[in-house]
C-alpha cells in the first residue's frame, strides 16, 4: 500500500530546494553572500529543510527495537551516504580526499542528515522509558546544537588543542550539527501537530513570529557567541514556522490541479537528485557577467537574475535526473530509489 503524500509538504520541500540552488548561485556564481536578499533567506532556508526532514522522519507507530534500528540505518545509509560519496568523487575527481572535511565540497547536507537520524535514534532509545522523553531529547538537541555552534565560532583557537580529534570532528561535519535542533523540532511538530496548529493558526501569534523574524534578520551582527546562537535559533524557528504555516494555510495553491503546485511538488519529490546534481551545473563561467550586474545596486534585478539562473540549473538537474532514473541500477545507487 502506497502512503498518500501530503501535497503542501512536497511543495514546501520544492520551495526550500529552490532556495538552496538560489543561495549557491549567489555564493558560487556571484561570489557574494549578501546579494538578492540571500543573507535573509539564509536564516530560514536550512532550518526549514531540516525541520521538514524531521517531520517526515517521525512516525508515531515506530518502535525502536534492534530490527527496526538496523533496517532504518541501512536504508538511510543507502539513500544518504552512498550517493553522497559517489557524487563527491565524481565532482572532486582529483581532490576527493581533501574534501572529506566538515563541508564535504558542498555535499555535507546529506551526510549531516544521516548523522541526525543516528542521533535521534540513539536519543529515543536512551530516553524511551522516561516520562519526560521529549524534554530530555530537546535538552540533548540544544546541547549538541550549542556545542557545534560554539565550536564553529571558536574553531581557530580550539582546534589546535584537539590534535587528531579535529580531523574526526571534521569528517563528522560537527560544525553543522548546530542544525540538529531544527531536525528535532520537526519531529516534535509532527508528534504534537494539533498543538502546533492551534498556536500557529492564531493570527496574533503568526504576526508576532513574522515581526520577530524580520527584526532578527535586520539586527546588528556581532561576534558575541550567545547572541549569535540566539539569533540563529530564534530566527530559524520563526522562519520555519512562517514557511510551514504559509504553505498549509494556502494549501489549495499547491495542489496538483495548479501549475505552481505541480511544479513545486515535482521538485519536492526530487530534492535529493537536485542537491546531488546541481553542483555540476552552477555557471561559474558567468562570474564576470554576474558581477557587472552588482554595479547597478538593484535588489530587484539581482533577484531576477539569480532566480533565473537557479531555475535554469534546476531544469538541467531534473532533465539529467529523469535520464539517470531510467536505469534501475543508477536510480538505486545514485539516488537511493527502492525497487518497486
Amino acid at each position: 500500500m502506497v502512503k498518500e503524500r501530503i501535497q503542501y509538504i512536497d511543495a514546501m520541500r520544492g520551495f526550500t530546494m529552490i532556495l538552496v540552488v538560489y543561495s549557491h548561485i549567489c555564493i558560487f556564481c556571484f561570489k557574494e553572500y549578501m546579494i538578492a536578499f540571500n543573507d535573509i533567506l539564509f536564516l530560514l532556508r536550512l532550518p526549514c529543510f531540516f525541520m521538514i526532514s524531521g517531520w517526515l522522519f517521525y512516525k508515531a507507530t515506530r518502535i525502536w527495537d534492534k530490527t527496526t534500528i538496523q533496517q532504518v540505518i541501512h536504508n538511510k545509509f543507502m539513500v544518504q551516504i552512498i550517493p553522497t560519496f559517489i557524487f563527491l568523487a565524481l565532482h572532486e575527481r582529483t581532490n576527493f580526499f581533501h574534501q572529506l572535511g566538515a563541508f564535504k565540497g558542498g555535499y555535507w547536507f546529506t551526510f549531516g542528515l544521516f548523522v541526525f537520524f543516528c542521533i535521534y535514534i540513539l536519543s529515543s532509545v536512551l530516553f524511551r522509558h522516561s516520562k519526560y522523553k521529549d524534554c530530555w531529547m530537546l535538552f540533548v538537541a540544544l546541547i549538541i546544537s550549542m556545542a557545534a555552534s560554539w565550536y564553529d565560532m571558536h574553531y581557530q583557537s580550539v582546534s589546535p588543542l584537539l590534535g587528531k580529534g579535529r580531523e574526526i570532528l571534521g569528517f563528522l561535519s560537527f560544525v553543522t550539527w548546530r542544525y540538529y535542533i531544527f531536525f528535532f523540532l520537526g519531529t516534535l511538530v509532527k508528534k504534537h501537530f494539533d498543538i502546533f496548529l492551534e498556536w500557529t493558526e492564531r493570527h496574533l501569534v503568526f504576526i508576532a513570529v513574522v515581526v520577530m523574524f524580520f527584526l532578527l534578520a535586520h539586527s546588528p551582527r556581532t561576534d558575541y557567541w550567545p547572541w549569535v546562537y540566539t539569533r540563529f535559533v530564534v530566527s530559524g524557528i520563526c522562519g520555519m514556522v512562517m514557511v510551514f504555516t504559509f504553505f498549509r494555510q494556502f494549501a489549495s495553491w499547491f495542489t496538483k490541479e495548479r501549475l505552481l503546485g505541480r511544479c513545486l511538488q515535482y521538485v519536492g519529490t526530487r530534492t535529493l537528485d537536485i542537491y546531488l546534481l546541481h553542483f555540476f551545473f552552477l555557471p561559474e563561467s558567468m562570474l564576470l557577467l554576474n558581477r557587472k550586474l552588482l554595479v547597478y545596486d538593484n535588489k530587484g534585478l539581482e533577484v531576477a537574475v539569480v532566480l533565473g539562473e537557479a531555475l535554469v540549473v534546476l531544469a538541467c538537474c531534473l532533465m539529467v535526473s529523469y535520464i539517470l532514473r531510467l536505469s534501475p541500477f543508477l536510480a538505486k545507487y545514485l539516488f537511493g530509489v527502492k525497487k518497486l
Side-chain angles (χ1 to χ4, degrees):
M1 180 179 178
V2 179
K3 187 176 180 181
E4 185 178 353
R5 303 185 71 98
I6 302 176
Q7 295 188 40
Y8 72 86
I9 292 292
D10 280 339
M12 183 164 57
R13 291 177 73 191
F15 170 73
T16 52
M17 189 67 245
I18 292 171
L19 290 187
V20 169
V21 179
Y22 184 97
S23 177
H24 287 172
I25 292 289
C26 295
I27 295 170
F28 295 110
C29 304
F30 278 81
K31 304 297 182 184
E32 293 285 345
Y33 169 73
M34 299 183 66
I35 66 165
F37 302 109
N38 182 55
D39 53 327
I40 295 176
L41 295 174
F42 174 82
L43 296 174
L44 59 83
R45 174 172 55 90
L46 287 175
C48 282
F49 224 135
F50 281 115
M51 178 263 189
I52 295 170
S53 299
W55 197 91
L56 293 170
F57 183 67
Y58 177 81
K59 289 181 175 58
T61 56
R62 182 183 277 157
I63 299 174
W64 293 112
D65 54 29
K66 183 178 179 181
T67 302
T68 302
I69 292 173
Q70 290 177 341
Q71 182 181 18
V72 170
I73 293 296
H74 174 266
N75 290 341
K76 295 302 181 183
F77 186 87
M78 294 300 295
V79 173
Q80 308 295 143
I81 300 300
I82 297 298
T84 295
F85 283 104
I86 289 175
F87 276 93
L88 179 58
L90 291 172
H91 192 260
E92 302 290 342
R93 294 181 297 276
T94 60
N95 200 31
F96 175 76
F97 292 102
H98 292 285
Q99 295 292 352
L100 295 180
F103 295 102
K104 309 275 185 301
Y107 284 102
W108 67 270
F109 177 87
T110 42
F111 184 91
L113 188 56
F114 176 77
V115 173
F116 292 175
F117 292 140
C118 295
I119 295 173
Y120 181 85
I121 293 170
L122 179 60
S123 298
S124 296
V125 172
L126 287 175
F127 302 114
R128 63 184 180 276
H129 299 306
S130 175
K131 184 169 64 173
Y132 303 105
K133 178 181 176 180
D134 287 350
C135 294
W136 281 114
M137 291 182 70
L138 177 60
F139 177 74
V140 169
L142 273 172
I143 293 299
I144 290 173
S145 176
M146 291 172 68
S149 174
W150 184 90
Y151 180 69
D152 184 38
M153 278 202 68
H154 298 86
Y155 177 79
Q156 296 296 333
S157 58
V158 173
S159 61
L161 306 175
L162 297 177
K164 289 292 184 182
R166 176 181 57 187
E167 297 178 10
I168 295 172
L169 291 177
F171 178 75
L172 293 175
S173 299
F174 179 66
V175 296
T176 68
W177 292 16
R178 62 187 183 271
Y179 290 104
Y180 178 67
I181 185 65
F182 303 115
F183 176 88
F184 178 71
L185 289 175
T187 67
L188 277 188
V189 168
K190 181 77 168 289
K191 185 176 182 179
H192 304 286
F193 197 46
D194 291 339
I195 297 174
F196 177 78
L197 293 182
E198 179 185 346
W199 280 94
T200 55
E201 286 180 349
R202 298 179 182 180
H203 296 303
L204 287 178
V205 171
F206 184 72
I207 291 172
V209 166
V210 173
V211 170
M212 177 66 73
F213 175 81
F214 283 101
L215 285 175
L216 289 171
H218 291 89
S219 62
R221 291 173 175 77
T222 70
D223 294 327
Y224 183 56
W225 176 76
W227 169 246
V228 171
Y229 183 73
T230 300
R231 180 177 183 267
F232 166 74
V233 172
V234 177
S235 63
I237 292 173
C238 290
M240 68 186 196
V241 169
M242 279 170 29
V243 174
F244 196 95
T245 302
F246 176 84
F247 273 82
R248 188 180 181 280
Q249 288 290 336
F250 298 96
S252 60
W253 294 6
F254 308 111
T255 62
K256 289 184 177 178
E257 285 69 40
R258 298 199 176 209
L259 178 61
L260 176 62
R262 286 198 301 275
C263 292
L264 286 178
Q265 284 185 53
Y266 187 74
V267 173
T269 58
R270 294 288 184 270
T271 53
L272 179 63
D273 305 37
I274 296 167
Y275 176 74
L276 295 172
L277 286 166
H278 82 282
F279 288 107
F280 293 87
F281 297 104
L282 294 177
E284 295 184 47
S285 59
M286 297 180 64
L287 174 62
L288 292 178
L289 176 62
N290 284 337
R291 292 187 68 82
K292 286 181 180 179
L293 295 173
L294 299 181
V295 301
Y296 294 100
D297 194 24
N298 185 313
K299 289 294 183 183
L301 179 61
E302 291 173 4
V303 170
V305 173
V306 172
L307 183 59
E309 292 186 18
L311 293 178
V312 170
V313 170
L314 203 69
C316 293
C317 293
L318 291 174
M319 180 178 64
V320 173
S321 166
Y322 176 80
I323 294 171
L324 293 175
R325 280 173 173 257
L326 293 176
S327 165
F329 177 83
L330 293 178
K332 178 181 179 181
Y333 289 102
L334 294 184
F335 306 120
V337 177
K338 296 179 182 179
K339 293 182 179 179
L340 298 178

